[in-house]
């Protein structure tokens, strides 16, 4: 199914149906719901599992605007409203978790029962008081340049570390193909949007059942 946002973006999602707990899966930066394809089946046993492709990602239509984690959170809100979903658990992998926190910042815990945070800390940018980030500012700007000049080469360095186990080269190439569906300009813009904010103040005092994994 698809839904169209007020600003004209078309979002694609899958919905397993069923009457169990609603679990909405949110993928990482420049990835897609295909990264959850081995999880959706098992999770659908007893749950209604919805997997969204963010605007301009995966099966969602190309879109030249709205590529901020704050807008992605508003897109998630629209999905919950259109499907009349309540008591939802949002499961975010990497950037998907940052989108959840942006949702909480804008809408609080309305319609939510909990969150699952997968492989994401409160900030991806290293700072003087935060050494656990994924990028220094120099690394981030360098990677954005690489994305503009040689995107496939850049993702060939990035994608393999997304997996717990080492994958054979042909499977890595397939996952790079998935990532390359996102337009290069969008890749840099959303990477900056998800990396630059410091999420620690937003998460201070958070009152929502949370699973960290």
């Amino acid at each position: 199914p698809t839904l169209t946002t007020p600003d004209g973006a078309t979002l694609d999602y899958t919905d397993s149906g069923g009457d169990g707990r609603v679990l909405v899966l949110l993928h990482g930066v420049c990835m897609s719901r295909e990264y959850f394809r081995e999880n959706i089946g098992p999770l659908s046993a007893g749950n209604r599992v919805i997997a969204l492709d963010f605007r301009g990602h995966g099966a969602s239509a190309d879109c030249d605007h709205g590529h901020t984690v704050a807008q992605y959170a508003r897109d998630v809100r629209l999905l919950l409203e259109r499907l009349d979903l309540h008591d939802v658990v949002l499961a975010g992998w990497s950037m998907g978790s940052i989108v959840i926190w942006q949702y909480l910042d804008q809408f609080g815990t309305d319609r939510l029962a909990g969150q699952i945070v997968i492989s994401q800390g409160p900030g991806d940018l290293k700072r003087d008081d935060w050494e656990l980030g994924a990028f220094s500012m120099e690394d981030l700007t360098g990677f954005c340049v690489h994305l503009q000049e040689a995107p496939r080469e850049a993702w060939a360095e990035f994608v393999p570390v997304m997996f717990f186990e080492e994958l054979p080269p042909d499977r890595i190439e397939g996952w790079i193909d998935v990532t390359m569906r996102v337009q290069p300009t969008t890749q840099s813009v959303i990477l900056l949007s998800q990396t630059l904010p410091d999420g620690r103040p937003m998460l201070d005092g958070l009152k929502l059942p949370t699973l960290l994994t």
Side-chain angles (χ1 to χ4, degrees):
T2 62
L3 64 87
T4 301
T5 67
D7 65 346
T10 300
L11 309 179
D12 200 281
Y13 65 94
T14 58
D15 186 349
S16 71
D19 298 323
R21 168 75 74 187
V22 178
L23 177 64
V24 177
L25 306 179
L26 304 175
H27 60 76
V29 65
C30 298
M31 307 301 175
S32 83
R33 66 174 186 250
E34 289 190 38
Y35 277 79
F36 293 121
R37 68 188 182 195
E38 299 297 326
N39 310 108
I40 291 174
L43 290 171
S44 297
N47 299 296
R48 177 182 176 184
V49 179
I50 297 169
L52 174 69
D53 277 335
F54 293 123
R55 59 174 64 200
H57 291 67
S60 291
D62 287 344
C63 180
D64 62 2
H65 60 280
H67 293 290
T68 67
V69 286
Q71 179 58 57
Y72 288 6
R74 290 189 285 273
D75 293 343
V76 171
R77 174 70 177 192
L78 180 67
L79 176 71
L80 302 190
E81 291 176 343
R82 291 279 180 88
L83 298 182
D84 193 26
L85 301 175
H86 300 270
D87 296 324
V88 173
V89 174
L90 297 178
W93 169 47
S94 192
M95 182 191 74
S97 299
I98 300 174
V99 172
I100 295 173
W101 302 334
Q102 286 289 331
Y103 181 104
L104 294 171
D105 188 53
Q106 296 178 66
F107 308 108
T109 59
D110 187 50
R111 295 180 180 263
L112 302 184
Q115 65 167 337
I116 302 173
V117 177
I118 306 166
S119 300
Q120 182 61 53
D124 273 350
L125 185 67
K126 294 180 180 179
R127 306 173 193 272
D128 290 342
D129 62 344
W130 180 253
E131 289 297 320
L132 300 178
F135 298 97
S136 67
M137 184 59 75
E138 182 179 3
D139 291 336
L140 178 61
T141 55
F143 190 64
C144 285
V145 169
H146 203 180
L147 287 176
Q148 294 305 303
E149 296 180 347
R152 190 172 190 92
E153 181 180 286
W155 289 117
E157 298 174 5
F158 188 93
V159 167
V161 302
M162 297 294 100
F163 296 91
F164 181 73
E165 297 179 349
E166 184 175 351
L167 298 182
D170 61 324
R171 291 193 64 191
I172 289 295
E173 287 300 313
W175 288 118
I176 295 172
D177 289 342
V178 171
T179 302
M180 288 296 296
R181 294 176 192 169
V182 183
Q183 295 299 312
T185 300
T186 298
Q187 293 174 14
S188 294
V189 170
I190 191 55
L191 180 65
L192 290 170
S193 178
Q194 73 108 52
T195 304
L196 292 175
D198 184 351
R200 290 175 293 174
M202 187 185 308
L203 297 176
D204 187 31
L206 175 66
K207 294 180 173 61
L208 181 69
T210 299
L211 173 64
L212 302 177
T213 181

